[in-house]
Amino acid sequence: SHAMNNPTNRSPQVMRLIGAAIQAARIPMRILNHITLEHHRAMDHIMTRITSKSVFFPFAFFEDGWGNKSLRDRFEKEIQENAKHSTQPATISPALTSHVSIAPNVSIQRGQFMSTCPDAREVLPEASHQAMFEFIRPVDRAEARGPAAVLVPGLGEPWEVRKLVATELASKGVSVVLLEGPFFGARRPKHQAGSKLRTASDLLVLGRATIEEGRSLLEWLRGQGYGPLAVAGCSMGGLHAGMIGSLSSAPVGVVGHLAAPSAHHAFCSGILSRAIRPEAFNTQDQALAELEDFFKLTELSRFKRPEFPAKAVFTVAQADAYLPFDISSKFWETFKLKWGCQVIEKEMGHVSGILLENEVLPELICDVLADQDLKTWYSNQNNNEPQTPEN
């Protein structure tokens, strides 16, 4: 993830080259799909070997163990309260830079605001106090605001890939807020190596902050007159998108591409468990079992059904080594009955599904935003409410 306060992240030419490379790599992968899906699993395994406890990336997740374990009980109470009583998201007035063109008919602004995570200064590292985002949108949307989506990040998801998705959506008439997650990119604390969170409780704080910042951004977009709205993400971002959709004060579309059903599915069931050092925990022999229990509160099934549950879509990869299909598919089979959402199986792995099949996410977001009930609700709201002036 690239620092969002840099004058520029990547030139449009470089972004086009990255897009072309992804398209070229996609062709042989799809040809192989007719024979086997094992190349997708192999890609997941190779990526984990390279990026975790290797010569190139020597650090593991949670090197400092549990962190502040009391945060778990505190956050669990908040989840239970939210399930009983819907709370309004904190209001934000982001400071925005001027428009810069990044593609034909697509412009970008950068913005920031104080994180709306409760007790942000207490629980977040100083580098994460300011929430940062990029606002990528069609240049002809100055008057008729139209549909918009908030994209929340996956764990270690490359910024360039997320920006390609946002630019693709903007070219189709959808404005996109690209949130830089706490603990990542320009918001990464100095003592943290890459996306390797230092403690298990950091993951809970990251999730709590992402959820509240995402809710505030959706409410800000609604106040600007945008709609219909959706929230989306890949992997961990897909899990957080589901949580944000559940807690949203207005109906929003939800898209979770290869979404983790919970943090314990991601860190205790698949190959990411190899990226953890059990010796960092005081109960080394039982570290994974205790981590699974510690992360139970992150299960999406603990969150209430959204107001428009049929507008929620989740994808599951059949050859996913990070979220093994036999385990995750059981979760989604039960979950879709609770939420009334769509669950779509895809012939891909985790890494290939995010890096190479990056056209899936914008297609699903456009499908969700095209829902007539959602469009009607926002049309009625925008006709009755005065719009907030934009910065």
Side-chain angles (χ1 to χ4, degrees), residues 80-92:
Q80 288 168 351
E81 280 300 307
N82 283 333
K84 292 177 192 169
H85 315 287
S86 295
T87 57
Q88 285 293 113
T91 304
I92 57 171

PDB file of all heavy atoms in Angstrom, residues 80-92:
ATOM      1  N   GLN A  80     -22.547  -6.702  20.778  1.00  0.00           N
ATOM      2  CA  GLN A  80     -23.843  -7.110  21.325  1.00  0.00           C
ATOM      3  C   GLN A  80     -24.796  -5.925  21.427  1.00  0.00           C
ATOM      4  O   GLN A  80     -25.986  -6.031  21.135  1.00  0.00           O
ATOM      5  CB  GLN A  80     -23.641  -7.760  22.700  1.00  0.00           C
ATOM      6  CG  GLN A  80     -22.999  -9.134  22.620  1.00  0.00           C
ATOM      7  CD  GLN A  80     -22.533  -9.646  23.982  1.00  0.00           C
ATOM      8  OE1 GLN A  80     -22.535  -8.920  24.971  1.00  0.00           O
ATOM      9  NE2 GLN A  80     -22.117 -10.905  24.028  1.00  0.00           N
ATOM     10  N   GLU A  81     -24.267  -4.765  21.833  1.00  0.00           N
ATOM     11  CA  GLU A  81     -25.088  -3.549  21.922  1.00  0.00           C
ATOM     12  C   GLU A  81     -25.576  -3.116  20.541  1.00  0.00           C
ATOM     13  O   GLU A  81     -26.732  -2.741  20.370  1.00  0.00           O
ATOM     14  CB  GLU A  81     -24.286  -2.414  22.575  1.00  0.00           C
ATOM     15  CG  GLU A  81     -24.216  -2.501  24.080  1.00  0.00           C
ATOM     16  CD  GLU A  81     -25.590  -2.463  24.735  1.00  0.00           C
ATOM     17  OE1 GLU A  81     -26.363  -1.535  24.446  1.00  0.00           O
ATOM     18  OE2 GLU A  81     -25.893  -3.390  25.512  1.00  0.00           O
ATOM     19  N   ASN A  82     -24.666  -3.170  19.570  1.00  0.00           N
ATOM     20  CA  ASN A  82     -25.031  -2.786  18.199  1.00  0.00           C
ATOM     21  C   ASN A  82     -26.103  -3.702  17.623  1.00  0.00           C
ATOM     22  O   ASN A  82     -26.929  -3.284  16.806  1.00  0.00           O
ATOM     23  CB  ASN A  82     -23.798  -2.791  17.294  1.00  0.00           C
ATOM     24  CG  ASN A  82     -22.927  -1.571  17.501  1.00  0.00           C
ATOM     25  OD1 ASN A  82     -23.404  -0.525  17.901  1.00  0.00           O
ATOM     26  ND2 ASN A  82     -21.633  -1.700  17.246  1.00  0.00           N
ATOM     27  N   ALA A  83     -26.074  -4.973  18.029  1.00  0.00           N
ATOM     28  CA  ALA A  83     -27.078  -5.925  17.549  1.00  0.00           C
ATOM     29  C   ALA A  83     -28.466  -5.573  18.092  1.00  0.00           C
ATOM     30  O   ALA A  83     -29.481  -5.807  17.434  1.00  0.00           O
ATOM     31  CB  ALA A  83     -26.689  -7.343  17.956  1.00  0.00           C
ATOM     32  N   LYS A  84     -28.509  -4.983  19.298  1.00  0.00           N
ATOM     33  CA  LYS A  84     -29.797  -4.620  19.917  1.00  0.00           C
ATOM     34  C   LYS A  84     -30.275  -3.247  19.459  1.00  0.00           C
ATOM     35  O   LYS A  84     -31.446  -3.044  19.175  1.00  0.00           O
ATOM     36  CB  LYS A  84     -29.642  -4.610  21.445  1.00  0.00           C
ATOM     37  CG  LYS A  84     -29.417  -5.976  22.064  1.00  0.00           C
ATOM     38  CD  LYS A  84     -29.216  -5.816  23.561  1.00  0.00           C
ATOM     39  CE  LYS A  84     -28.698  -7.091  24.192  1.00  0.00           C
ATOM     40  NZ  LYS A  84     -28.267  -6.872  25.583  1.00  0.00           N
ATOM     41  N   HIS A  85     -29.348  -2.290  19.425  1.00  0.00           N
ATOM     42  CA  HIS A  85     -29.722  -0.905  19.115  1.00  0.00           C
ATOM     43  C   HIS A  85     -28.810  -0.360  18.023  1.00  0.00           C
ATOM     44  O   HIS A  85     -27.608  -0.302  18.207  1.00  0.00           O
ATOM     45  CB  HIS A  85     -29.590  -0.012  20.355  1.00  0.00           C
ATOM     46  CG  HIS A  85     -30.157  -0.618  21.604  1.00  0.00           C
ATOM     47  ND1 HIS A  85     -31.503  -0.741  21.809  1.00  0.00           N
ATOM     48  CD2 HIS A  85     -29.545  -1.152  22.692  1.00  0.00           C
ATOM     49  CE1 HIS A  85     -31.712  -1.308  22.997  1.00  0.00           C
ATOM     50  NE2 HIS A  85     -30.533  -1.576  23.541  1.00  0.00           N
ATOM     51  N   SER A  86     -29.396   0.033  16.924  1.00  0.00           N
ATOM     52  CA  SER A  86     -28.605   0.618  15.840  1.00  0.00           C
ATOM     53  C   SER A  86     -28.081   1.982  16.268  1.00  0.00           C
ATOM     54  O   SER A  86     -28.830   2.812  16.780  1.00  0.00           O
ATOM     55  CB  SER A  86     -29.456   0.775  14.575  1.00  0.00           C
ATOM     56  OG  SER A  86     -29.836  -0.500  14.102  1.00  0.00           O
ATOM     57  N   THR A  87     -26.798   2.205  16.075  1.00  0.00           N
ATOM     58  CA  THR A  87     -26.191   3.489  16.424  1.00  0.00           C
ATOM     59  C   THR A  87     -25.836   4.243  15.146  1.00  0.00           C
ATOM     60  O   THR A  87     -25.482   3.648  14.136  1.00  0.00           O
ATOM     61  CB  THR A  87     -24.913   3.294  17.245  1.00  0.00           C
ATOM     62  OG1 THR A  87     -24.003   2.473  16.506  1.00  0.00           O
ATOM     63  CG2 THR A  87     -25.212   2.618  18.574  1.00  0.00           C
ATOM     64  N   GLN A  88     -25.929   5.564  15.210  1.00  0.00           N
ATOM     65  CA  GLN A  88     -25.565   6.400  14.061  1.00  0.00           C
ATOM     66  C   GLN A  88     -24.045   6.489  13.955  1.00  0.00           C
ATOM     67  O   GLN A  88     -23.361   6.587  14.967  1.00  0.00           O
ATOM     68  CB  GLN A  88     -26.141   7.809  14.228  1.00  0.00           C
ATOM     69  CG  GLN A  88     -27.639   7.894  13.987  1.00  0.00           C
ATOM     70  CD  GLN A  88     -27.987   7.623  12.531  1.00  0.00           C
ATOM     71  OE1 GLN A  88     -28.615   6.615  12.198  1.00  0.00           O
ATOM     72  NE2 GLN A  88     -27.561   8.507  11.644  1.00  0.00           N
ATOM     73  N   PRO A  89     -23.510   6.456  12.742  1.00  0.00           N
ATOM     74  CA  PRO A  89     -22.059   6.620  12.590  1.00  0.00           C
ATOM     75  C   PRO A  89     -21.627   8.045  12.923  1.00  0.00           C
ATOM     76  O   PRO A  89     -22.428   8.983  12.824  1.00  0.00           O
ATOM     77  CB  PRO A  89     -21.821   6.322  11.099  1.00  0.00           C
ATOM     78  CG  PRO A  89     -23.119   6.597  10.437  1.00  0.00           C
ATOM     79  CD  PRO A  89     -24.185   6.275  11.447  1.00  0.00           C
ATOM     80  N   ALA A  90     -20.370   8.185  13.326  1.00  0.00           N
ATOM     81  CA  ALA A  90     -19.846   9.519  13.624  1.00  0.00           C
ATOM     82  C   ALA A  90     -19.782  10.343  12.337  1.00  0.00           C
ATOM     83  O   ALA A  90     -19.433   9.832  11.276  1.00  0.00           O
ATOM     84  CB  ALA A  90     -18.456   9.399  14.238  1.00  0.00           C
ATOM     85  N   THR A  91     -20.128  11.622  12.449  1.00  0.00           N
ATOM     86  CA  THR A  91     -20.126  12.527  11.294  1.00  0.00           C
ATOM     87  C   THR A  91     -18.706  12.999  10.999  1.00  0.00           C
ATOM     88  O   THR A  91     -17.935  13.278  11.922  1.00  0.00           O
ATOM     89  CB  THR A  91     -21.011  13.746  11.571  1.00  0.00           C
ATOM     90  OG1 THR A  91     -22.319  13.287  11.906  1.00  0.00           O
ATOM     91  CG2 THR A  91     -21.093  14.658  10.356  1.00  0.00           C
ATOM     92  N   ILE A  92     -18.349  13.072   9.714  1.00  0.00           N
ATOM     93  CA  ILE A  92     -17.020  13.550   9.320  1.00  0.00           C
ATOM     94  C   ILE A  92     -17.150  14.678   8.298  1.00  0.00           C
ATOM     95  O   ILE A  92     -18.145  14.768   7.583  1.00  0.00           O
ATOM     96  CB  ILE A  92     -16.156  12.409   8.723  1.00  0.00           C
ATOM     97  CG1 ILE A  92     -16.854  11.752   7.519  1.00  0.00           C
ATOM     98  CG2 ILE A  92     -15.789  11.384   9.780  1.00  0.00           C
ATOM     99  CD1 ILE A  92     -15.996  10.771   6.749  1.00  0.00           C
TER     100      ILE A  92
END
